[in-house]
Amino acid sequence: MTLLLAIKGSGDNWSPRPWRDRFRERLPGREIAFPEEIEGRPETVRYAAVWKPPVGLLTRYPKLEVIFNLGAGVDALLEDKSLPQVPLVRVVDPDLTKRMTEYVVLHCLLYHRQHMRYVAQKAKRVWDAPDQWAARDVRVGLLGLGEIARDAAEVLARIDFQVAGWSRARREVPGIACFHGAEGPNGLGAFLARTDILVCLLPLTPETRGILSKKLFAGLARDGVLGKPVIINAGRGGLQVEADILAALDDGTLGGATLDVFETEPLPASSRLWDHPLVTITPHNAADSSPGAISDYIAGQILSYEAGKPLANVVDRVKGY
Ligand code: NDP
Ligand code: OXD
């Protein structure tokens, strides 16, 4: 059997060769090949491990049994309407989850501990010690209560933030106030009304596209110790309306925005987000996808599938995640 490897990504961690080397170590005796290496014998491909492959590529392999996405989010892959109707498995792995948790906790703490203020003070040689509230006075709200958000929520709660999460279906997570759905006393409105730091960890689907909008920002709490609510988006750029974020920062609806993902990536040099003093930008690397950890995870799934066990973390194509 051949495992096809098709990777197109920006950033050092998407360089294809380290991925191939690691898969070869973990699956000895199997062919691990890039598309150009198996031209003329497409029927050998049984599995594909992919990140943003060219549209239509996977239709070439008639014996393909499973597609493994090399990341957690499958939105880019599902845009390919010709994607073969075989199981699509996404990444759920402690390495990726913990990296995301680091990002979320770091940026919540930067807002909570007023870090930008000290950066500005240093530039002006100002020694000023403003009041510092406790974490228990700050309400963090996570949009999404999935694999990543639950881990981040647990760590945030451990350091005493008041943590809530919002999901599609009703969830129960110990120590976390759980909200779900659009309406009702436990719906989105109630969740936003108790949120000072909004962290978006949703997948991009037709239902969630553009959710970080003017309307949503207007629903956030305005009585918090931070003075104004702030947002952190590490989900996908398509979840945010960038013009609305800029307008909300300019009119004082939001006090800050930390963005790892953008409507267009890389973020164009012409974007006003680059210049905005209240915006923090990271280049879609809240969590690097580690070739080591993720190849191990996929190789493990292949071996267990071949031993007759069910695949884990198969995407529901109707829900889109
Ligand atoms: P999961 O599928 O485990 O969790 C998704 C969560 O979102 C679930 O709680 C789900 O609700 C909720 N959700 C989905 N649709 C809706 C909706 N319409 N209304 C309310 N809640 C909804 O995903 P992960 O936690 O593994 O990953 C989340 C996303 O993080 C990925 O899809 C990816 O886009 C992004 N990501 C970004 C990275 C980066 O470097 N910036 C790295 C890794 C991931 P329910 O529980 O009811 O199903
Ligand atoms: C992912 C990502 O979805 O890195 O895993 O964005």
Side-chain angles (χ1 to χ4, degrees):
M1 76 93 196
T2 298
L3 168 65
L4 173 84
L5 207 47
I7 299 177
K8 178 173 171 286
S10 60
D12 293 348
N13 65 312
W14 288 119
S15 168
R17 282 177 195 281
W19 286 90
R20 186 177 65 178
D21 295 346
R22 184 60 173 232
F23 271 116
R24 282 183 174 163
E25 268 172 37
R26 291 293 277 114
L27 294 168
R30 324 268 183 130
E31 183 181 36
I32 316 291
F34 300 134
E36 60 277 15
E37 295 169 326
I38 41 173
E39 256 167 43
R41 43 189 190 90
E43 67 291 342
T44 57
V45 172
R46 190 167 172 199
Y47 308 111
V50 299
W51 184 246
K52 299 186 180 165
V55 170
L57 175 80
L58 298 180
T59 59
R60 292 189 204 160
Y61 309 104
K63 301 258 170 66
L64 183 64
E65 281 179 42
V66 186
I67 303 168
F68 294 96
N69 187 49
L70 293 173
V74 291
D75 48 292
L77 205 47
L78 292 181
E79 271 173 25
D80 180 353
K81 297 303 166 214
S82 70
L83 201 69
Q85 292 295 324
V86 298
L88 165 61
V89 172
R90 72 186 193 94
V91 171
V92 175
D93 179 72
D95 178 84
L96 189 76
T97 298
K98 287 182 196 311
R99 288 170 190 250
M100 288 295 277
T101 293
E102 277 177 23
Y103 184 88
V104 171
V105 173
L106 167 70
H107 289 283
C108 285
L109 284 172
L110 289 177
Y111 283 118
H112 162 52
R113 296 303 300 249
Q114 309 176 77
H115 185 72
M116 297 306 266
R117 177 173 180 147
Y118 298 116
V119 171
Q121 284 189 187
K122 177 168 181 285
K124 294 185 184 157
R125 297 173 184 253
V126 171
W127 181 279
D128 182 28
D131 180 37
Q132 179 59 57
W133 49 83
R136 66 175 172 279
D137 299 329
V138 179
R139 298 161 295 181
V140 180
L142 300 151
L143 283 172
L145 255 182
E147 298 290 340
I148 294 168
R150 285 198 305 275
D151 190 69
E154 199 180 298
V155 178
L156 290 166
R158 165 71 189 79
I159 53 178
D160 235 11
F161 286 106
Q162 294 176 46
V163 186
W166 180 71
S167 53
R168 195 169 127 119
R170 185 159 179 238
R171 305 268 166 218
E172 279 182 31
V173 183
I176 310 301
C178 294
F179 295 78
H180 67 280
E183 312 291 342
N186 293 315
L188 182 60
F191 163 83
L192 295 173
R194 53 74 61 211
T195 293
D196 303 314
I197 302 181
L198 181 74
V199 180
C200 182
L201 291 169
L202 288 167
L204 178 61
T205 70
E207 273 183 46
T208 61
R209 183 173 287 281
I211 188 169
L212 295 175
S213 65
K214 187 177 170 187
K215 182 168 167 237
L216 180 139
F217 304 147
L220 287 165
R222 304 209 60 78
D223 57 353
V225 287
L226 267 57
K228 290 173 186 168
V230 298
I231 62 164
I232 298 170
N233 183 15
R236 282 290 182 268
L239 297 162
Q240 73 202 16
V241 181
E242 288 170 11
D244 287 7
I245 294 177
L246 284 163
L249 291 167
D250 289 342
D251 72 13
T253 304
L254 290 178
T258 295
L259 308 173
D260 184 56
V261 287
F262 300 90
E263 289 171 5
T264 302
E265 293 180 11
L267 181 63
S270 59
S271 171
R272 203 157 74 77
L273 290 168
W274 286 112
D275 302 317
H276 204 291
L278 298 177
V279 176
T280 298
I281 290 174
T282 53
H284 195 150
N285 68 345
D288 266 5
S289 302
S290 150
I294 294 175
S295 308
D296 287 1
Y297 159 79
I298 292 173
Q301 284 247 37
I302 289 176
L303 296 174
S304 115
Y305 171 73
E306 290 181 352
K309 303 205 179 104
L311 292 162
N313 308 313
V314 175
V315 170
D316 177 333
R317 293 200 192 200
V318 175
K319 286 201 282 184
Y321 65 97

